Amino acid sequence: MVSVKAEQAQPGRGPHLYAFFGCMYYASLRPAEVIHLKRNQCRLPANGWGLLNLKGGVVTAGKEWTDDGAVHEIHLLKRRASKATRPVPIPPVLVRMLSEHIQRFGVAADGRVFQNAAGNCIDFAAYSITWRRAREATLTLEEHALELAKRPYDLRHAGISFWLASGVDPAECARRAGQSIQVLFRYYAKFLAEARDHANRMIEESMKQWEAPDGGREGA
């Protein structure tokens, strides 16, 4: 995603949110899950794939709506038991982004990977403003008119769509994204249809090879 890379060049919060948006695209996390991500939930090896072991998220509720008067409130993973976790494998590119972020900015007092200048949770307004600036600096007028990646949340959709287009099993996509297979089929029907058609072509090609007189072993 071009806009994710553009975060590094943005003034102010840009470098702080580069890996933040990377988590939403490369791991298809919800904003609340990224906000609450802690260092001890991240397995970041020197080489190869890493792992995020999710345990919950943070939502902005407003002081009048939380039990203790805090602006943010911790919620459990959707549709999961109180002690449930969701392991999400992450590609090397995101491992590097998170490792560099932690090395450069450290972690909050409670272990959160992402924090604002005061050490508190990242606010919706903060990352939304930075995302808007990145889009303005990166996208063409035509792309703006199409509302391409209009919201930060669209990064999650793009990540899931990329998994499906890459041929990942829909059930595994749903598990990694932390949603039901029913929701996946409802919102990503187009990509699932494309994956189905690709699978049909592969099966048909294999059948042609097996049905050939030499069993597809010409020149063997």
Side-chain angles (χ1 to χ4, degrees):
M1 292 292 290
V2 176
S3 293
V4 172
K5 295 180 180 178
E7 292 302 324
Q8 287 184 311
Q10 295 303 305
R13 306 185 189 98
H16 291 78
L17 295 176
Y18 176 55
F20 182 95
F21 290 122
C23 288
M24 296 176 65
Y25 177 65
Y26 292 110
S28 295
L29 301 191
R30 300 176 178 88
E33 293 169 340
V34 187
I35 290 172
H36 192 52
L37 182 66
K38 294 188 176 182
R39 178 64 184 88
N40 61 10
Q41 295 173 261
C42 306
R43 191 171 75 197
L44 307 173
N47 297 291
W49 282 65
L51 186 75
L52 302 181
N53 196 33
L54 304 182
K55 297 180 180 178
V58 170
V59 295
T60 304
K63 293 182 179 180
E64 66 274 22
W65 299 107
T66 57
D67 296 331
D68 57 0
V71 176
H72 297 89
E73 189 173 59
I74 297 175
H75 281 211
L76 301 175
L77 292 172
K78 285 192 173 182
R79 295 178 296 277
R80 298 199 177 222
S82 60
K83 295 184 179 180
T85 60
R86 185 174 96 242
V88 181
I90 59 174
V93 60
L94 183 54
V95 172
R96 291 193 297 271
M97 292 168 70
L98 286 169
S99 297
E100 292 170 1
H101 175 89
I102 293 170
Q103 182 177 10
R104 181 175 179 182
F105 301 110
V107 298
D110 63 356
R112 279 178 294 106
V113 175
F114 300 102
Q115 58 182 317
N116 62 17
N120 298 321
C121 292
I122 302 292
D123 288 325
F124 169 79
Y127 67 77
S128 295
I129 291 172
T130 303
W131 182 251
R132 186 182 70 243
R133 290 174 178 170
R135 290 185 75 253
E136 292 172 352
T138 306
L139 302 182
T140 65
L141 292 176
E142 291 77 10
E143 290 169 333
H144 271 284
L146 293 172
E147 297 188 341
L148 179 66
K150 183 178 181 180
R151 310 166 303 159
Y153 201 94
D154 290 336
L155 286 169
R156 170 174 159 85
H157 293 313
I160 296 173
S161 299
F162 180 73
W163 290 346
L164 291 170
S166 298
V168 179
D169 181 74
E172 176 63 10
C173 288
R175 189 202 64 76
R176 294 190 183 199
Q179 59 187 195
S180 69
I181 191 70
Q182 291 83 1
V183 169
L184 191 81
F185 274 88
R186 184 184 312 140
Y187 288 101
Y188 300 94
K190 174 184 175 182
F191 294 95
L192 288 166
E194 292 175 354
R196 179 196 60 203
D197 293 342
H198 177 66
N200 289 347
R201 290 192 296 270
M202 293 175 62
I203 293 171
E204 185 175 6
E205 183 61 30
S206 295
M207 292 176 67
K208 288 179 180 178
Q209 292 181 9
W210 279 106
E211 291 172 357
D214 60 356
R217 296 186 295 273
E218 183 177 353

